[in-house]
Amino acid sequence: MHVRPFCDVDDQFVPKVGMTFNTLKDAAKFYKDYAKATGFFTRVRSTNKKGNEIKNQLITCSRERKWKSKISPTEKTNPTAGLNCPARIYIHTLKDVGAWIISKVVLHHSHPCCPTQAEMLKQHRELSMSVRRTIENNEEAGIRPSKTYQTFVAAAGGHRELNFIEKDVRNYISREVQNVSEQEDAKEFEKYLLRMKEKNQNFFFELELEDDQSIKLAFWADARSRAAFEYFGDVISFDTTYNTNRYNLVCGSFVGVNHHGQSTLLGCALMKNEDIESFKWLFQCWLRCMGGNVPKGILTDQCTLMKRAIEACMPTIIHRCSSPSEMPVLIIRVKRDIVPSRPMRVKLSTSNPSVTEIYIGTMEQEDYAV
């Protein structure tokens, strides 16, 4: 059964064989506007090129393809999808005049079209500039997308008065607003690391960005962490249990245990992906930060890719797997097994008699005070 669109479209806006356009984009927009007026939306079915130049293009109704759904007809929410609709136009270029001409037109459909609901079809839904600005302002203020959409509904007088849905608001936030915010945050993060470096030259950081200027890999360690590694870096742990709330970056931390049995931070990292190349980059970066000194032991979770990266970057290290909650206790046990004990000396502080200073090292060399 063929159904011709029932609508009052001016004859000059109906596609006809022989119509010419200055560009392919103009021809596609003409058919798109016709589709909106008649109640369907289009898709580019095929494009033929010669080198880098497009020679012709076939644009069809979105329900042109025929497929069989795995969902039972009684359970389907959209039973009219994929009906092998014949509606289409065929456009090709005119070599002599540099224009585009419609050479074939099929107007009838294999399904009913509803012009009154055309604006709610995916292709025809759009967000105006003022709507986009409001979404951006509300997102910055922390207002939920659902609340933002309800304000548009209230202002318009109902859902039917809008030519977009709540999903479009959410998609715009995830695709445009958060993406731009991620790029800006990456720039600010880099500026912060540079400021920390200016304040203390012993602050160490390395940063690698994606092509879209978002964070791919980052590592940093302050002067205190680098100094602590000299005394408590014989056995360490590396944990990637946590993710950042925004941008879903993996947050990794290098941790040692001091002579009080307390955890001490030896460096932090952010990673977009937990792959072997990212782990290699991170471990090599951490070794450069610590002067190339390889610890005697390291504890991590049971990540195979992390294990392979450790074997490649630190082949002499003793590697053990552990759950994050048990790592501090296991570090102390591993230290007892593989690290020679070092003498300690306790004395009262000369500047403040109420403070006890603990020195690690030999009796002749007072290396580090806590």
Side-chain angles (χ1 to χ4, degrees):
M1 179 184 71
H2 295 314
V3 181
R4 190 177 179 85
F6 178 77
C7 57
D8 296 326
V9 179
D10 194 306
D11 188 63
Q12 63 177 328
F13 299 118
V14 178
K16 301 180 184 67
V17 174
M19 282 185 167
T20 58
F21 303 88
N22 293 328
T23 64
L24 177 61
K25 185 177 181 181
D26 291 340
K29 185 179 184 303
F30 179 84
Y31 192 47
K32 178 183 175 182
D33 293 340
Y34 168 76
K36 184 176 182 180
T38 53
F40 70 99
F41 68 95
T42 65
R43 60 185 294 269
V44 176
R45 181 67 177 85
S46 63
T47 301
N48 293 326
K49 293 183 178 181
K50 187 176 181 180
N52 294 326
E53 295 184 4
I54 297 177
K55 293 301 180 181
N56 54 67
Q57 191 171 84
L58 175 63
I59 305 177
T60 68
C61 172
S62 62
R63 295 180 176 177
E64 176 264 343
R65 287 185 174 180
K66 186 176 182 179
W67 51 271
K68 185 177 180 181
S69 176
K70 295 181 180 179
I71 304 175
S72 170
T74 58
E75 299 177 0
K76 290 179 68 174
T77 58
N78 187 12
T80 58
L83 295 176
N84 203 20
C85 181
R88 65 191 59 205
I89 64 170
Y90 184 79
I91 318 165
H92 70 268
T93 182
L94 294 173
K95 296 180 180 179
D96 299 334
V97 295
W100 293 82
I101 186 171
I102 297 178
S103 59
K104 183 179 180 179
V105 176
V106 179
L107 296 179
H108 57 268
H109 295 259
S110 62
H111 56 89
C113 297
C114 186
T116 58
Q117 297 181 6
E119 288 189 348
M120 301 311 294
L121 296 174
K122 184 178 180 180
Q123 185 182 52
H124 305 311
R125 298 198 306 261
E126 58 182 2
L127 303 176
S128 65
M129 188 59 68
S130 60
V131 169
R132 295 181 184 186
R133 179 62 62 184
T134 302
I135 293 173
E136 292 170 4
N137 293 337
N138 287 1
E139 176 67 12
E140 187 175 352
I143 299 175
R144 297 196 304 271
S146 59
K147 293 292 184 182
T148 298
Y149 179 70
Q150 290 303 321
T151 60
F152 291 132
V153 173
H159 294 81
R160 293 184 177 274
E161 304 302 320
L162 295 175
N163 60 344
F164 60 90
I165 60 178
E166 183 177 336
K167 185 178 180 181
D168 297 321
V169 176
R170 295 182 180 277
N171 288 344
Y172 180 74
I173 291 173
S174 60
R175 184 180 65 250
E176 302 293 341
V177 179
Q178 290 184 352
N179 187 42
V180 173
S181 178
E182 185 174 2
Q183 294 169 354
E184 293 299 323
D185 284 351
K187 292 179 182 178
E188 291 301 319
F189 181 60
E190 184 176 15
K191 291 179 182 178
Y192 170 78
L193 296 176
L194 289 171
R195 288 197 302 270
M196 295 298 293
K197 182 70 174 179
E198 291 175 359
K199 290 181 180 180
N200 191 327
Q201 290 301 309
N202 286 327
F203 182 86
F204 181 96
F205 79 91
E206 287 193 18
L207 180 64
E208 187 172 317
L209 303 178
E210 295 278 17
D211 293 337
D212 61 357
Q213 300 304 303
S214 61
I215 296 175
K216 179 181 180 181
L217 293 162
F219 171 80
W220 68 96
D222 59 15
R224 190 182 190 90
S225 295
R226 300 180 75 180
F229 172 78
E230 298 182 14
Y231 300 95
F232 313 121
D234 36 21
V235 179
I236 66 168
S237 67
F238 179 65
D239 181 20
T240 57
T241 302
Y242 303 101
N243 285 23
T244 59
N245 291 334
R246 298 190 69 177
Y247 316 133
N248 198 34
L249 295 172
V250 178
C251 183
S253 57
F254 293 90
V255 177
V257 173
N258 63 20
H259 48 274
H260 292 296
Q262 300 170 334
S263 297
T264 178
L265 189 62
L266 303 177
C268 293
L270 293 175
M271 297 185 295
K272 179 162 286 188
N273 300 307
E274 289 186 278
D275 53 48
I276 187 169
E277 294 303 321
S278 296
F279 285 126
K280 282 183 179 180
W281 181 93
L282 180 58
F283 292 138
Q284 290 169 355
C285 185
W286 184 77
L287 287 173
R288 286 194 295 273
C289 173
M290 301 308 173
N293 298 315
V294 179
K296 291 181 173 60
I298 185 170
L299 297 173
T300 68
D301 60 20
Q302 298 184 20
C303 177
T304 305
L305 296 178
M306 192 187 302
K307 179 180 179 182
R308 289 167 57 187
I310 291 173
E311 291 173 350
C313 300
M314 298 176 283
T316 60
I317 200 171
I318 298 175
H319 179 213
R320 296 290 182 269
C321 296
S322 168
S323 63
S325 60
E326 297 175 350
M327 285 182 180
V329 176
L330 290 179
I331 289 177
I332 297 175
R333 293 179 181 176
V334 174
K335 279 189 175 186
R336 293 171 181 171
D337 294 337
I338 67 175
V339 181
S341 60
R342 292 174 292 180
M344 294 186 182
R345 181 161 61 89
V346 180
K347 72 173 183 178
L348 294 178
S349 171
T350 55
S351 57
N352 187 351
S354 64
V355 176
T356 302
E357 295 179 348
I358 301 178
Y359 292 90
I360 302 176
T362 62
M363 296 295 289
E364 293 79 12
Q365 182 181 4
E366 299 174 351
D367 291 316
Y368 188 82
V370 177

